[in-house]
Amino acid sequence: AKLMQRAGHLFFTRSMGVDIRERVRMMRALRTALDEKELFVVYQPQIDLVTRRPVGAEALLRWKTKDGTFIPPDRFIPIAEFSGLIIEIGEQVLRLACQELVRLQSLGFSEFTMSVNVSQVQFRHPRFLDMLREVLRETGVPAARIELEITESIAMEEPDVLIELLRQIKQTGVSIAIDDFGTGFSSLSYLQRLQADRLKIDRLFVTEITSSTRGSSIAEMVIQLGRNLGMSVVAEGVEDERQASILQALGCPLAQGYLFARPMTVDQLTSWLTDNGA
Ligand code: C2E
Ligand code: CA
Ligand code: CA
Ligand code: CA
């Protein structure tokens, strides 16, 4: 209940001026969507910038209503968080992503990895770790091939609690990525204490690299930071070849974006991987 209050508080501050009735309506619709299976998961490939081959994918949630309209995750995830539905939804996304990865492995994509977004509400849920262990066991997925993405904003709160939780997660064999890195203000020493495996450069900073001078871009600093701390780095939202070659020249190992592939269904992913040399 305390959790919900916190999330709720955040939610209402963010949505001030937005019609509450509209939010309530969406909350009900989301409950129905979950029951009626209007939610599904798409996968966006992650590419090794040197070999230009896919090495993994990020699972992204989609909501297509009965009348065929897509509601973007940026709109419905805050509502799922506020209503607590994210606990159930998030578990389903994780389980599905693990099942699909097991299937991809059986097709021969044995080195492939799967990244799954975890909301701060899920992360703070007391059963999160049990749920994770259960899903790993039930799906039989190799934990080393699963990565959880948490945003930098959550990474800044309650340092000791978070560090301990991350340590326990890593004990399961699952790795941790800090999503939207660069948008928050976590200190370097704190980042080091988190022992995350990977940093994801926010799309904002990828867009910026073509306009900024060498050495001045945030992307470049994050790549350096990753190298110094022994962390892998993924650039997100790479849309053109210029961005890709600058990132590659800067030593960024991995990238994700429309230049390479849009998020796609698992069937599309399977044939895409076959065609693109995974
Ligand atoms: P994110 O985790 O930062 O995901 C990256 C977003 O960038 C995705 O938007 C993806 O479709 C989009 N994207 C990828 N490449 C490009 C590109 O080249 N150009 C542009 N303009 N965009 C690109 P999407 O799928 O709409 O998801 C938005 C956000 O919703 C995600 O941001 C994430 O925070 C959240 N989200 C999505 N699925 C889940 C989920 O299963 N659980 C949780 N908790 N959050 C999710
Ligand atoms: Ca993400
Ligand atoms: Ca991101
Ligand atoms: Ca983002």
Side-chain angles (χ1 to χ4, degrees):
K2 208 174 164 194
L3 272 171
M4 291 284 296
Q5 264 170 23
R6 285 191 65 166
H9 174 72
L10 261 171
F11 172 79
F12 280 114
T13 353
R14 271 207 214 115
S15 61
M16 277 203 311
V18 175
D19 192 340
I20 298 299
R21 274 168 305 182
E22 170 63 13
R23 298 278 163 165
V24 172
R25 197 192 59 76
M26 266 192 75
M27 208 189 287
R28 291 212 185 97
L30 192 56
R31 176 74 255 177
T32 316
L34 191 59
D35 298 336
E36 310 269 305
K37 309 212 172 350
E38 292 173 14
L39 300 176
F40 62 101
V41 178
V42 288
Y43 302 87
Q44 185 177 37
Q46 296 173 330
I47 308 297
D48 180 317
L49 272 174
V50 176
T51 64
R52 296 289 172 122
R53 288 188 171 186
V55 291
E58 176 179 6
L60 293 159
L61 192 57
R62 291 291 175 267
W63 179 7
K64 189 184 182 193
T65 62
K66 279 277 170 307
D67 62 17
T69 15
F70 279 97
I71 302 177
D74 289 330
R75 266 189 70 204
F76 72 80
I77 282 170
I79 289 162
E81 289 176 331
F82 171 65
S83 62
L85 281 174
I86 194 70
I87 301 298
E88 199 176 329
I89 295 172
E91 178 173 346
Q92 284 187 17
V93 172
L94 179 67
R95 179 167 279 115
L96 196 62
C98 290
Q99 286 166 348
E100 297 301 4
L101 185 62
V102 167
R103 211 181 54 86
L104 286 170
Q105 292 209 313
S106 73
L107 294 174
F109 306 109
S110 50
E111 302 292 291
F112 207 67
T113 62
M114 187 66 82
S115 307
V116 180
N117 293 286
V118 178
S119 145
Q120 48 179 321
V121 175
Q122 270 180 287
F123 212 67
R124 291 206 186 99
H125 192 270
R127 283 207 63 247
F128 180 76
L129 201 60
D130 289 339
M131 184 278 286
L132 175 65
R133 291 196 186 108
E134 197 177 291
V135 170
L136 292 174
R137 196 183 57 242
E138 283 172 13
T139 59
V141 76
R145 297 273 170 266
I146 298 293
E147 176 179 79
L148 301 182
E149 299 193 358
I150 62 167
T151 57
E152 191 185 8
S153 52
I154 173 186
M156 291 186 295
E157 293 170 36
E158 304 160 285
D160 296 329
V161 180
L162 182 69
I163 288 162
E164 176 55 21
L165 180 58
L166 291 183
R167 198 187 60 77
Q168 289 181 312
I169 290 173
K170 289 192 63 173
Q171 269 181 358
T172 67
V174 164
S175 38
I176 302 286
I178 312 284
D179 206 352
D180 303 341
F181 190 74
T183 55
F185 303 93
S186 39
S187 73
L188 293 188
S189 61
Y190 182 41
L191 181 65
Q192 197 164 22
R193 283 182 69 205
L194 288 179
Q195 298 283 315
D197 304 275
R198 187 175 276 184
L199 299 174
K200 293 195 81 175
I201 306 175
D202 195 66
R203 180 162 63 89
L204 199 70
F205 307 122
V206 170
T207 317
E208 179 205 72
I209 51 169
T210 43
S211 56
S212 68
T213 53
R214 230 206 126 138
S216 71
S217 78
I218 293 190
E220 186 167 359
M221 288 185 260
V222 176
I223 295 163
Q224 280 296 334
L225 189 63
R227 189 178 294 135
N228 295 340
L229 295 179
M231 297 165 83
S232 167
V233 175
V234 188
E236 27 173 57
V238 177
E239 292 183 349
D240 58 54
E241 185 48 50
R242 239 186 106 209
Q243 294 168 341
S245 37
I246 295 174
L247 287 162
Q248 189 188 345
L250 293 173
C252 182
L254 302 164
Q256 192 181 336
Y258 296 167
L259 170 66
F260 308 106
R262 294 201 172 234
M264 54 186 105
T265 65
V266 71
D267 290 338
Q268 291 169 325
L269 179 69
T270 309
S271 46
W272 190 90
L273 288 177
T274 312
D275 295 344
N276 289 272

